[in-house]
Amino acid sequence: MISRYEKTGKLFNIERPTAAVHGRDLVVKAFPGADYVQHYALIIATYLAMTGRPADTVTYQPSDQEKCRTALNTLDLQLDGDLVIVGWGLQYLAPANGVWTRGSGYAWQRAEVSGRRVVYLGFLHSIWGDVAGRVVARLAELGARDVVYVGKVGSLTPGIEPNTWLATGNTSLVRGAMVSWDDFFGNYAAAHDGVRSGLHVSSQSILLENRDWLDQHTASYAFVDPEIGPMGAARQAGIRFGYLHVISNNLATHYPADLSNERHSEVLRQRAVLVNRIRTIITGRLTTSPTHTLGESR
C-alpha cells in the first residue's frame, strides 16, 4: 500500500520496506543492510513509544552478511575508468536530454564531461549506511575509477543555515574509528565560496542522534549522515571517492528549514541554486585535472 504522505515526483530512492502479517506479528522486510534494518526497527519502536504503546515488542534480525554481499550483484555496468556520480539530485545533474537506462533496481545514463566519461547512477531502493559502502566496492569491481556521492548532510556547527552551503571533506568517524580516503576533489571543492570542509561522523540512524550524541560530537565534527563514511571506507577497493552535499539541516541550531519541510517552495529554490553549484564544481574539477590522471583506465 502506498501512503498518501509518500513523496512523489522522484526518479530514485522511492522503494521502501514492505510488510506482511504473520499471525500476530507484523514482519517488515527491508533491503539487506545492517544500518538500514536497524534504522527501520528504530522508526517503528519510536512510533510505538510516541503513541503510548510498548516499544519493546519490536525485535529485528540483523541482515545476513552473505545476502548483504550479494544484494548488489544485479548492478551490472560496463565501466572503464569512468567517474560514477551517485545519490540525490541526479535528474538535475545529468544532461537534460539524456535517456535513463533501467536495470534491476537502478537506472543510469552516460555522458562526456570535459573529455571524461561520466555515468550518473541512481537506485530505486535506499542505499542507506553500509549498503552505500558496498555500492562503491561494487562499482570498483565493475571498473569505475572515481565515485562522487551527491546528497544531503546535517550540520553539527551552530549558525550554519540550511540550504545555503555545500559540504565536503575526506575524513569520517565510522563506528569509533577515523577513516580517510583519496579524495576526488582534493582541495578544489573546498576552495569555492559557499563550500565548507570538515570532519564528518557517520550515524547508523538519525534516531540515535539525541542530545547526548550531539554533545559528544558537535565540538569535533562538522557534518553527519549515514553513508559518507562507509563509502569512504571502500577506498581499499583502490578508487577515489568524494562527496559534495547540500547542508539540509542543522542539529545544533534551530532553523525553520529542516528535513520535515523539504518541499517548501523557498527550500526548492535554494537547493536548485546549490545543485547548479555542484554541477559547476564537478565540471571544473574535471576540467582542471590532468587527463592522464583522471581519464586513464585502471
Side-chain angles (χ1 to χ4, degrees):
M1 179 180 295
I2 300 175
S3 169
R4 63 189 179 94
Y5 300 108
E6 186 64 64
K7 291 180 180 178
T8 58
K10 296 171 63 178
L11 284 178
F12 303 112
N13 192 18
I14 58 176
E15 294 181 353
R16 294 295 180 266
T18 59
V21 177
H22 290 271
R24 294 180 58 83
D25 295 327
L26 181 68
V27 178
V28 178
K29 303 175 182 179
F31 190 86
D35 298 335
Y36 195 46
V37 170
Q38 181 188 22
H39 174 60
Y40 263 90
L42 288 168
I43 288 175
I44 297 168
T46 300
Y47 171 76
L48 292 175
M50 291 174 64
T51 55
R53 285 174 279 184
D56 58 4
T57 59
V58 178
T59 60
Y60 70 94
Q61 178 67 42
S63 296
D64 178 84
Q65 287 303 302
E66 182 60 27
K67 288 184 179 179
C68 289
R69 282 190 291 269
T70 61
L72 291 166
N73 286 351
T74 56
L75 176 59
D76 189 16
L77 299 173
Q78 296 297 317
L79 304 175
D80 184 15
D82 301 72
L83 162 64
V84 182
I85 301 176
V86 300
W88 168 84
L90 295 175
Q91 64 268 43
Y92 307 112
L93 294 171
N97 59 350
V99 177
W100 292 100
T101 301
R102 296 202 170 274
S104 177
Y106 64 94
W108 60 278
Q109 65 169 278
R110 191 184 301 274
E112 185 171 300
V113 181
S114 299
R116 178 75 190 277
R117 295 183 302 272
V118 177
V119 172
Y120 302 88
L121 172 64
F123 291 87
L124 301 185
H125 57 80
S126 176
I127 56 168
W128 187 280
D130 55 303
V131 177
R134 281 187 284 277
V135 167
V136 173
R138 176 61 176 164
L139 290 171
E141 290 177 357
L142 293 171
R145 181 176 178 83
D146 302 287
V147 175
V148 166
Y149 178 39
V150 176
K152 298 174 288 185
V153 73
S155 173
L156 301 179
T157 304
I160 303 301
E161 184 177 356
N163 305 309
T164 60
W165 290 88
L166 297 177
T168 194
N170 71 342
T171 304
S172 177
L173 179 69
V174 184
R175 300 185 185 277
M178 298 298 293
V179 173
S180 297
W181 51 87
D182 186 6
D183 188 7
F184 168 81
F185 292 105
N187 296 320
Y188 182 81
H192 283 72
D193 290 339
V195 180
R196 300 184 68 88
S197 179
L199 294 178
H200 173 273
V201 57
S202 295
S203 171
Q204 293 99 311
S205 172
I206 57 175
L207 292 167
L208 298 174
E209 299 162 19
N210 55 26
R211 294 186 184 277
D212 289 341
W213 182 95
L214 183 62
D215 290 341
Q216 293 170 12
H217 294 90
T218 189
S220 302
Y221 300 93
F223 317 121
V224 60
D225 94 326
E227 291 88 30
I228 289 170
M231 295 177 93
R235 71 197 186 286
Q236 59 190 347
I239 64 177
R240 290 189 299 184
F241 168 70
Y243 74 92
L244 193 54
H245 278 35
V246 169
I247 296 180
S248 57
N249 58 302
N250 192 313
L251 282 69
T253 305
H254 174 73
Y255 285 95
D258 55 30
L259 296 180
S260 70
N261 51 21
E262 295 185 294
R263 293 303 181 93
H264 189 279
S265 59
E266 178 59 16
V267 172
L268 294 176
R269 185 197 66 78
Q270 290 177 304
R271 289 189 180 178
V273 173
L274 294 177
V275 169
N276 286 335
R277 190 175 300 167
I278 290 171
R279 184 191 304 109
T280 298
I281 291 173
I282 292 174
T283 302
R285 177 70 179 110
L286 292 173
T287 302
T288 59
S289 297
T291 301
H292 70 274
T293 298
L294 284 174
E296 64 185 7
S297 301
R298 292 193 306 120

